[in-house]
Amino acid sequence: MDQAIAIAVEALATGDVPVGAIIIDKNGALIGSGANEREANNDPTAHAEIVAIRKAASYLKNSRLDGCTLVVTLEPCAMCAGAIAQARISYLIFGAWDGKAGAVGSVWDVIRDPRALYKINVTAGIREAECAQLLTGFFEGQR
């Protein structure tokens, strides 16, 4: 989570919502990372998770990330939860809950829905207060 938080902190300078994500392979090697790039690239799909998934898939030269772990500072939205499932990521760890758009237990639970095709192990609330404070501070500065 340290690395994901560091990426989120760096993203503060870009004007994008400060969310950071990393993907670790089954051997513990970092194979992908990302921050939100929506504003920077005018791309509504450029969430931190998607950026990290694209980099990890490119690194592995495989669209399936079986055995990999995604660590992200904010609960994934429905789009990202779907991408996590499609990538077949095995483990998801996230920090802050997203009570407005979260899709891993807050608003929806796309990943752990009993009808889901792939089972993903989820650990939530890791360094939750620290991750949430990054977002709170960012949005307070926007108002």
Side-chain angles (χ1 to χ4, degrees):
M1 186 60 79
D2 284 339
Q3 291 172 306
I5 290 171
I7 291 167
V9 168
E10 289 175 15
L12 285 168
T14 69
D16 270 297
V17 176
V19 177
I22 62 169
I23 297 181
I24 302 162
D25 71 10
K26 57 187 165 191
N27 298 315
L30 178 65
I31 60 169
S33 64
N36 276 352
E37 298 178 358
R38 290 174 42 144
E39 301 303 321
N41 295 329
N42 299 310
D43 180 356
T45 68
H47 289 199
E49 301 94 313
I50 302 292
V51 173
I53 288 169
R54 287 176 179 156
K55 288 179 181 177
S58 178
Y59 177 84
L60 293 177
K61 296 180 178 30
N62 193 334
S63 65
R64 295 184 179 186
L65 304 178
D66 299 291
C68 292
T69 300
L70 170 63
V71 180
V72 61
T73 58
L74 179 64
E75 177 186 7
C77 68
M79 175 184 68
C80 293
I84 291 163
Q86 289 299 313
R88 298 197 174 118
I89 290 171
S90 299
Y91 305 95
L92 168 64
I93 299 168
F94 69 86
W97 291 93
D98 184 349
K100 293 182 180 178
V104 189
S106 287
V107 180
W108 302 285
D109 203 342
V110 172
I111 287 180
R112 293 178 291 195
D113 187 299
R115 298 165 292 187
L117 296 175
Y118 308 105
K119 300 300 177 208
I120 299 166
N121 293 308
V122 177
T123 303
I126 303 300
R127 296 178 62 186
E128 180 178 359
E130 188 175 354
C131 292
Q133 182 54 47
L134 281 169
L135 296 159
T136 302
F138 173 79
F139 286 113
E140 284 174 353
Q142 299 293 310
R143 295 185 182 120

